[in-house]
Amino acid sequence: MLGTLRKLPRTVWLLGVVSFFNDTSSELIYPLVPIYLASVLMAGPKALGIIEGIAEATGSLLKLFAGVLSDRRRSTRPWVAGGYALAASARPLLAFATSWPLVLALRFADRVGKGLRTSPRDALLARTVEPANRGLAFGLHRSLDNAGAVVGPLLAAWLLAEHVPLQTIFLWSALGGTITVCLALAIREPAWDPLPRGKPLTWTLRGLPLPFQRYLAVLALFTLGNSSNMFLLLRARDLGLPDYQVPLLWALVSLTAALFSTPLSALSDKLGRTRLIVGGWSVYSVFYLLLGVNGQALLLWPLFAFYGLFMAATEGAEKALVADLVDKERLGTAYGWFNLTAGLMLLPASMIFGWLWQALSPLAAFGFSAACALLAALLLHVWVLRQPADG
């Protein structure tokens, strides 16, 4: 695998390094937002659900828009660089938010930036690498992305331990954002193949393969139980984890994902994508159920490391499976629908999770998510790639 890694195109590595610095900046502040909302702005789980649900869902609409237009215009680089620039500009402004609606507006701007860049970036990555190495390439990208998600929370924990105000930490995120934008401007994309005649590009699912459409349906079910990760951090805090350890806990998740994303995603090149995704979704179900039942802070550390394995097994394989199912000339559109489906479902997912938590109990919320993941894993195994009957 090491020899194959060294032979991956320059664009694959550069996209990974860009994601590293972007996530260092993003994850420096991400685990602090629930703390800021609860301790400074006095907002509870419902506000957190509204913020994350609206920001993610609305930004996700742009993932389809940017994906389709990148196919039509035969260009991905401007979308990638522009999206990173918008997100890098929004994050430091959290330092000046004095109410949760302002936090919502800035999180929305951050997610709009992600919406503009994600589908074109995924399509660029898929077009740059050979099909036999798709899992490895997406796994490397996720490993570097998650490595940044280790560095960011560690920096946050250190700054909190030094009693640096939350607002000042938010301002420090501007440094990583600046480096991200400079590197993104250096990205180059491969030449496009001629567009086949008789295959007009559309915004709809019409013309996309049936297995891909089934995959989207199953992904929607899984995402209905996959609410914002901020609820995980809020649960850890409610179980008695000190504030300065919350970023460390999230760093553990990202470290596990960074270490295992590349080998597990590369394994999907040999064993098949669906096997790995089914296994990862099953791990997710067990994790959520245990986190709902658990009442001891000490058990959070092994549980969150377990959650990192879910991320490592699924993040790269899920995106590689899209490229396996769809023709190259419609990859931007396909990734647009993939990212749109996952993003839109975050709105009901986060709002349902927040309501179940506050109206019933944390166990009800975590149990609902576990059930959705388990059912989605079963459907992915028996239905998505099933061939239609003749006649």
Side-chain angles (χ1 to χ4, degrees):
M1 187 181 72
L2 291 178
T4 308
L5 273 173
R6 287 193 294 266
K7 294 178 181 178
L8 287 175
R10 173 182 177 274
T11 299
V12 173
W13 284 96
L14 186 55
L15 285 170
V17 174
V18 166
S19 286
F20 169 80
F21 282 104
N22 179 71
D23 254 48
T24 297
S25 172
S26 177
E27 299 295 333
L28 173 65
I29 63 174
Y30 182 82
L32 303 181
V33 172
I35 298 173
Y36 189 66
L37 285 169
S39 62
V40 178
L41 303 183
M42 304 303 171
K46 282 187 178 180
L48 181 60
I50 292 171
I51 289 171
E52 287 303 295
I54 291 178
E56 291 283 357
T58 310
S60 293
L61 290 171
L62 291 174
K63 294 178 180 179
L64 177 59
F65 171 82
V68 173
L69 286 188
S70 69
D71 281 345
R72 286 186 173 182
R73 298 184 178 183
R74 322 288 276 169
S75 177
T76 55
R77 181 175 174 270
W79 300 98
V80 174
Y84 280 119
L86 178 59
S89 301
R91 292 187 201 115
L93 297 180
L94 283 169
F96 307 105
T98 55
S99 64
W100 73 260
L102 289 177
V103 175
L104 168 60
L106 292 171
R107 283 290 294 166
F108 171 78
D110 182 22
R111 297 299 89 179
V112 166
K114 185 173 183 178
L116 291 175
R117 72 177 183 258
T118 299
S119 298
R121 183 203 63 206
D122 291 343
L124 173 59
L125 188 58
R127 289 180 57 245
T128 302
V129 71
E130 294 295 324
N133 293 322
R134 279 176 183 153
L136 177 64
F138 277 103
L140 173 66
H141 181 265
R142 297 310 306 160
S143 287
L144 290 171
D145 186 274
N146 283 306
V150 175
V151 175
L154 288 178
L155 286 174
W158 174 66
L159 292 170
L160 284 176
E162 294 295 320
H163 306 290
V164 176
L166 291 175
Q167 290 90 337
T168 303
I169 298 176
F170 292 156
L171 291 174
W172 271 108
S173 68
L175 177 60
T178 301
I179 297 173
T180 298
V181 174
C182 292
L183 289 173
L185 291 173
I187 293 172
R188 297 292 180 266
E189 57 182 311
W192 286 73
D193 296 331
L195 185 63
R197 293 182 180 180
K199 288 190 175 182
L201 299 176
T202 69
W203 299 88
T204 69
L205 287 168
R206 183 178 301 174
L208 291 172
L210 180 60
F212 175 71
Q213 296 182 37
R214 289 174 175 170
Y215 180 36
L216 291 183
V218 173
L219 180 70
L221 174 61
F222 172 77
T223 311
L224 185 62
N226 187 16
S227 58
S228 171
N229 286 326
M230 287 190 180
F231 285 113
L232 304 181
L233 303 179
L234 187 63
R235 175 65 170 164
R237 190 170 182 267
D238 284 354
L239 289 176
L241 196 72
D243 283 353
Y244 79 94
Q245 290 186 15
V246 171
L248 294 177
L249 190 65
W250 193 245
L252 175 63
V253 174
S254 301
L255 177 61
T256 306
L259 291 175
F260 291 98
S261 286
T262 299
L264 286 180
S265 294
L267 194 62
S268 77
D269 289 331
K270 298 179 174 61
L271 297 183
R273 319 285 185 213
T274 55
R275 288 184 181 179
L276 209 61
I277 298 170
V278 166
W281 288 358
S282 300
V283 167
Y284 177 97
S285 180
V286 172
F287 165 76
Y288 262 69
L289 189 60
L290 291 177
L291 192 60
V293 174
N294 174 46
Q296 300 183 20
L298 283 177
L299 294 178
L300 291 171
W301 298 95
L303 281 177
F304 272 69
F306 190 57
Y307 185 67
L309 287 177
F310 146 74
M311 295 171 61
T314 59
E315 288 180 335
E318 286 174 358
K319 293 190 174 184
L321 181 57
V322 174
D324 293 344
L325 298 175
V326 178
D327 294 336
K328 183 181 291 188
E329 66 269 11
R330 297 202 65 186
L331 279 176
T333 303
Y335 281 114
W337 276 105
F338 172 85
N339 292 311
L340 174 67
T341 300
L344 279 182
M345 293 305 296
L346 279 175
L347 176 57
S350 294
M351 296 186 75
I352 289 171
F353 195 97
W355 178 81
L356 287 173
W357 183 323
Q358 200 151 327
L360 299 177
S361 68
L363 179 57
F366 283 95
F368 173 78
S369 293
C372 287
L374 202 58
L375 181 56
L378 177 63
L379 288 174
L380 181 63
H381 178 66
V382 303
W383 180 57
V384 168
L385 297 180
R386 180 175 59 85
Q387 296 298 320
D390 293 337

